[in-house]
Amino acid sequence: MIWYLLYPFRGTTEGPVLEESHPLRIAFARYGRYAASHVVTTLLVSVAVASVLIYPFPFLYTTDFTSGASILPEHAWTDTLPLVDKNRVEPDVIMRSIWVHGNYFQALNRNVLRSALDLQDELLGPTVNFNPRRYIADEIDNANATNTDLTLDQRDSYHVANGLTNQSWFFQSPLQYWSCSSETIEQDDDIIATANERKTQSTSVNVTLRHSTVFSGKRFQDRRLVAADALVITLVHHRDSPVGRQWQEKVQALKQNTDDNWDIFNYSPNGKTSEMYEFQFRPMSSQDVLLLGLAYTLVLIYFLTSLSKLRAVKSKVGLMVTVIAQIVLAIFSSFTICAIFKIDLSRIPRLGYPVVIFSMSLENIFRLINAVILTPSEHNTSKRIGYAFGETGFVALTSVAQNLIILYGLSKLVSPGVSAFCTFTAIALIFDFFYLSTFFLSVLSVDVRRTELSDALAKASIRSHRSVSDPQSRQTWLDAMLQGRIAMSTRIAGTIVMVGFVLISQWHFFENESVIRALSRILHISPKYKNLSLSSSLSEVHQGRSPASWLGLQDHETARELIHVIKPDAHSYIARVFYPTIFVLKGSDRNLSANEPWFPPAVYDFIRHQSSPFIVTIIVIAAAVRLLMNYLLWDELADSARIDGADNDPLLSVKTLSRGHTLDVALLTASSDGHLVSIGLDRIIRVWDVKAGGESYVLSDNDDSSHIPFPILAVCIDDESHWLALLTSSKVLLWNLVNFRWGPVLEVERDRHKPEAFFFVPDDSATIPSLVVIRRDGTLTELRTDQARPKSVMLTEGSSIVSVSSLAEKGFPAQVIASTRDGQVHIATQEDNKWPSSIVNEGSSTERDLISIQSLPELGFFLVIRFQTVDLVDSQTLKTIYTFNTDPIQPKSVKCFHSRPRKMRCGSIALWSFTMAYNHAYTRDLMVHTYSPQNEGESLCFCDPTSPTRKTCCPWQRAKVSKRTIKNPGVWDALPSGIIAGVRKKTSEKARADGHDDPQRLQQLSNLRRRHQPSQSANGHGIPDNNWEVWMFSHFGKKETWETQPLCPKIEDDGHLFVNNLGPMARIGRASLAIGLSNVIKVIVVGNERFETGDRAQPEDGMPALGNRRRKGPSTLRAKHAVHCPHC
């Protein structure tokens, strides 16, 4: 809410994003990295704190109002509210009382009890075996009754048990435990035991004689009363009751007559003799249940909706459990703290406590999760968690501080019960932030480190916020919300729920009054709430508790019973409470013999009886959590210590796979689970397991690979990484990567045309998926192991194929899109064993030459790429959704990646961002275009541009684009994780400036046949060529990452031949590449790579990736001259 209040000064309602060099952000980020790196330690701390605070909960709370423990909230609104006499409220009843003291905290002394009984009989008349319902034989003449000379029959006839009238009365006294009999008191051998046994005894009007109502200044031990400071005898009567007048006159007479047995004191703070109080016990109405049910429903809908929008699809159940566990821990911990510090939470219905905490906690939780999702996936787990927590920790802490200030202000204005709720909420917010920073942060880092969140995070949609250079249009938040461009932020929802619930709770206690009168009452009575101190103004008496604080301790069950007696059909009553007259037995020692305990008796009972089990339980829980974490993360603790131990390690890492070939690597293909297949000019086909550290074996039959007919024209691996297919000129060889054996051989018709594509078609019904070969002349051949002869169809007639791409996803028919030399685009769809094809309408562009195709399998779309335009085409309807305008594009250089798609309500898919990268046709620079929605809360929608769109849909026509240029990119690829990585050769700046070639370069060109590089000697001769470097670039929101590393840091150890140009490049997983460097293979990894099956976001065509080995020549672009960039 604070950011909304500061909108006129800041111009935005978004929370501030601290600079990365800000001390607060550095501190939060450092802690986040530590928590993610030391998951077990952080989790143990949170579990230990939670156990320490939750274990005492059942021992500190009870439903027994006489045990000295805190009272659990019920399903009712209860409170004792002082009223202002100016309001001229007519009381329902009048309460008068006397307090009888003996020695300090010795009120249960036999002598004190007998003396108190004498006082009681003096004020009320004989009360032994009191029974107002006894049979009264004669007619009572109440008209002649005097104030001071009521007969027993007259007194009892006015009792409320005989009918509720304006003259009714009843009383409560601890002496009723002994039937108000002096003989019973004398014969009682254990007075304290009797007081505890009869604590649930009822009076003649069914009002329980609870310790809280008949004693003041109580001491409890083991949930039993052990001492009391005063006996409280209370008379409750109506305004016209003769018994009340009799009590009043006899008390005055006792004060005037000097008594040798009693010291009498008047308790009258501020000169007043009485106060007006309202006692409430209001059960939850159907309206309350409906409102709370609606609140919980809205919170649940918000939680599930926010959860569904998260890209963490694999961990939704675990995430729900973690979120609920965090909030439950915060609530129970807060209840324990409130019990320890004597904060009474029994006045608000128990169902009201969780909903406020849930609504406020979810805000920080989802902010942290989204921040982790938006971090670059190439970072290791600790860096991602640290960066996200550094970005959101300050906002969460500010939100907590803001709400604490609001709660403090509200607690000064509302009634005591609502004020206690404000205190509870403030404590819960602090604990919620603590558990967010420990428990939830550690669990989130475990989920990210494991594969439950890593897959979703790697595929996460990256929302491109406005960059610093982008102009920001000044538009009010209200206008944007009314136009439907943004929704009301959840950053203010939690505060609104909190303030709203406090106001609604306060309204419950004043619902029978007007708003103005209720507000005036709040302002007038609020100072009195602060003055309910324990100490009494009678310093000479040294009372254990003041009458005002004693009145505030009356439990709601007593209030409910009294309401049933006084106003049976009501939920509250107003009483004029006269301050008690204090009777102290002469000769009593009222000097303080013990100080008031700091904590409730239940706390000391817990320490006395539960210390050993408590300590053992905490140790056992900590050990169990430690063992559980070791079991769950047994295979990752070592890796996490290695990966997360060094936070400053570079993102880029290069590993060399050497001694696999003696000649150049000519062909590479890879699968997402870490299998890499290399085919060299030495006629060796080697399978590498990159995930296992580079282990490899050679494809052969009994250690003889001569039966494999060379050359190999194409190679591919199926999506499940079970089968490897090798295409030769006459047949296809299949190798089982799981069982390490050869599969069936498929015959292929000899064709003079070279293949343009070679790939598997997913098929769950077949043991070995079918294969598709597409030739340059437009022939499509499908190879199946269950068919003796392959079936071929013609995709194109009369024109050769220039580019081919495929859409082959499980559960959908495979599609092949091909472009021809005359500029036509054909699409063929698999229907059983047939491949019917059709021509795609190219759109409005007039360019019909050199069209290339790029499929987007996760979206079901494909790109038709021309010289300066790119069409986005729906593979089902074959309609062009949008046409991108670009710089001149080098043929077959376009690569794309995008955020994870989500389904919109209109039925179309949508993205947070879409990135297209390509080489400039003239400068050979790498051009990176990133498209994102124009406004916050929108998504790039793939719906038909002619159809109406929803408010959250951003058509491609309104998308904003950010462009970046990378000079001298070399050979590169766009990784599915949203990273562009490549290898380039550094050029000599001095040689370029002088116009001469590098002498080392000339020496290399003159010694092409002597390809083995000499080792570097001590005198500096024979320096190897080490000008190759690896680079990576990523752009996530406002954060750009650029890093370079040498491709061959120790070139003398690589053992590769002389290198003039790079070899083929293949994508292995989501964040790794393999590139041939003469006879060795370099594996480039950006950040963390897990090598998971089926993690390929873009299809491979199975054709040789030649890299820079293609013959250099003039540009094939018509009417354009090739312009070579000096950086290339």
Side-chain angles (χ1 to χ4, degrees), residues 172 253 318 337 351 365 378-379 520 753 848 883 945 952 970 987 1027 1039:
Q172 295 184 111
I337 294 298
L351 292 178
I365 290 175
E378 71 270 15
H379 288 295
S520 65
H753 295 281
R848 300 180 59 85
T883 299
T952 56
T987 56
N1027 287 334
K1039 183 177 177 60

Side-chain angles (χ1 to χ4, degrees), residues 256-310:
Q256 293 173 1
N257 297 329
T258 304
D259 197 318
D260 295 335
N261 294 327
W262 300 101
D263 293 324
I264 304 175
F265 302 90
N266 287 323
Y267 180 82
S268 55
N270 302 322
K272 294 183 178 182
T273 59
S274 66
E275 291 281 357
M276 297 281 285
Y277 284 89
E278 182 179 8
F279 298 88
Q280 296 188 8
F281 183 88
R282 197 179 305 276
M284 290 184 62
S285 63
S286 57
Q287 181 182 2
D288 295 335
V289 175
L290 181 62
L291 289 176
L292 277 176
L294 179 62
Y296 276 102
T297 302
L298 292 177
V299 171
L300 180 63
I301 292 175
Y302 163 67
F303 177 54
L304 296 178
T305 303
S306 302
L307 192 65
S308 64
K309 292 180 180 179
L310 290 178

Side-chain angles (χ1 to χ4, degrees), residues 349-360:
R350 64 179 62 173
L351 292 178
Y353 289 91
V355 65
V356 177
I357 308 304
F358 265 86
S359 60
M360 301 183 69

